[in-house]
Amino acid sequence: MTITFHALGMAFLVGINFTLDLRVLGVAPRLPIALIEKFYPLMWVSFVTALVSGLLLLLAYPAKGLTNIVFYTKMLIIVAALLLTRILTVQLIRNGSAISSTHKLLALASILLWVLVITLGRLLAYTYTILLTTDFY
């Protein structure tokens, strides 16, 4: 059940970020970019859902995650992706800047990072070397 909440939280989190990124890249040009910010409360609820469910998954098998470089890489990439979202939000929505080629590069980077987050999350199920703390002995 926890994995279901984690998947749903990630789906909404990534989906809303993809919406912003695709809009910056020119998809649906008549859609006001500021309208996307109305979905941010849902994005943050989704983030908290993914975070709490992810922590519960980690608590179930702490050695599996905490001894896996894929886990730490995923966490760093999530931070980087959220920072890009913050930069795009502040510059394009709050400050009303025009979309530049730099913004488009940031949106492409954001899409790449979120795809990596999803991929690394799936890899976590298969790349561990230690499942339980009893495997240390």
Side-chain angles (χ1 to χ4, degrees):
M1 187 69 145
T2 304
I3 193 73
T4 303
F5 283 107
H6 193 69
L8 286 170
M10 288 301 296
F12 280 100
L13 175 63
V14 173
I16 293 167
N17 278 282
F18 262 49
T19 303
L20 173 63
D21 296 333
L22 290 172
R23 174 58 189 88
V24 170
L25 291 172
V27 175
R30 294 189 318 188
L31 174 71
I33 202 162
L35 186 61
I36 297 168
E37 193 174 26
K38 292 185 184 263
F39 290 94
Y40 279 20
L42 175 60
M43 182 184 74
W44 289 114
V45 167
S46 300
F47 173 74
V48 170
T49 301
L51 178 66
V52 169
S53 59
L55 288 171
L56 290 172
L57 291 168
L58 182 62
L59 285 172
Y61 294 100
K64 179 181 178 182
L66 296 175
T67 60
N68 193 338
I69 190 70
V70 174
F71 172 78
Y72 295 104
T73 304
K74 179 184 173 186
M75 296 304 109
L76 286 172
I77 292 174
I78 289 171
V79 170
L82 289 173
L83 285 173
L84 286 181
T85 300
R86 176 76 178 151
I87 291 168
L88 288 171
T89 299
V90 167
Q91 290 185 4
L92 297 175
I93 297 174
R94 304 238 171 97
N95 294 343
S97 301
I99 297 172
S100 68
S101 57
T102 302
H103 295 124
K104 290 182 179 188
L105 284 174
L106 291 175
L108 280 173
S110 176
I111 288 171
L112 174 66
L113 291 176
W114 286 115
V115 168
L116 281 171
V117 166
I118 293 166
T119 303
L120 292 171
R122 289 306 308 136
L123 286 174
L124 278 172
Y126 309 107
T127 58
Y128 63 90
T129 54
I130 299 170
L131 179 62
L132 301 169
T133 56
T134 56
D135 292 342
F136 285 116
Y137 302 109

